[in-house]
Amino acid sequence: MSEESLEHILFMKIKEDISDADIKRLTDCMEELKQLPGVLNISFGKNFSDRSGGYNWGYRVLFEKKSDLDLYGPHPTHEKLKAILNEVKSGPPLNNNNNNNNNNNNNNNNNNNNNNNNNNNKFNIN
């Protein structure tokens, strides 16, 4: 690879009474996102730690290279995911049409694929 891989990580507060149907909608949409060029892996799951800072769910996308995030951010399927998240999360809505990619505070360069996917409370989309 000519660039380092990139992890895009989002922590959120999902409503405690989220239904199984809404979880399925989220994971189905993430399965669609996994098909985008440059997406190597997507993980989504409920927090199991008491050190969460109030966040009860997490979402992680591993990209082949940093520039893949530029294609992912404005993609219609990503916008669909944000719309679903806005229905099931607590707090202010996620912005739609995020074409400026001001996500640097939520991104973490990582070149070792950091596949810590052994959590039983995590939905792994492989």
Side-chain angles (χ1 to χ4, degrees):
M1 286 185 278
S2 61
E3 298 180 54
E4 288 187 9
S5 61
L6 176 88
E7 286 189 65
H8 172 61
I9 301 171
L10 175 67
F11 300 101
M12 64 200 102
K13 177 131 179 93
I14 299 287
K15 297 173 186 171
E16 292 295 330
D17 61 349
I18 187 171
S19 69
D20 289 342
D22 282 336
I23 291 172
K24 181 166 180 9
R25 284 182 8 175
L26 286 167
T27 56
D28 286 350
C29 188
M30 289 179 201
E31 185 67 34
E32 290 177 46
L33 284 169
K34 188 178 176 285
Q35 305 307 311
L36 296 181
V39 174
L40 299 175
N41 189 28
I42 295 180
S43 299
F44 170 73
K46 191 169 185 174
N47 179 50
F48 63 91
S49 171
D50 59 358
R51 301 176 298 168
S52 67
Y55 298 107
N56 60 354
W57 287 78
Y59 165 66
R60 172 187 167 262
V61 181
L62 179 63
F63 294 100
E64 185 176 352
K65 57 189 181 295
K66 185 177 179 182
S67 59
D68 293 326
L69 180 61
D70 295 333
L71 300 173
Y72 173 87
H75 193 278
T77 306
H78 183 244
E79 294 298 322
K80 175 181 163 184
L81 175 66
K82 290 193 299 185
I84 296 169
L85 284 172
N86 281 332
E87 293 175 23
V88 300
K89 70 181 269 316
S90 300
L94 299 169
N95 294 331
N96 287 332
N97 300 318
N98 184 10
N99 293 324
N100 59 7
N101 273 329
N102 287 328
N103 295 319
N104 291 334
N105 292 333
N106 293 328
N107 295 331
N108 177 25
N109 284 329
N110 184 350
N111 200 24
N112 65 4
N113 292 346
N114 195 14
N115 289 322
N116 295 325
N117 295 328
N118 57 357
N119 173 358
N120 291 334
N121 294 322
K122 185 184 289 184
F123 297 96
N124 291 314
I125 303 173
N126 297 317

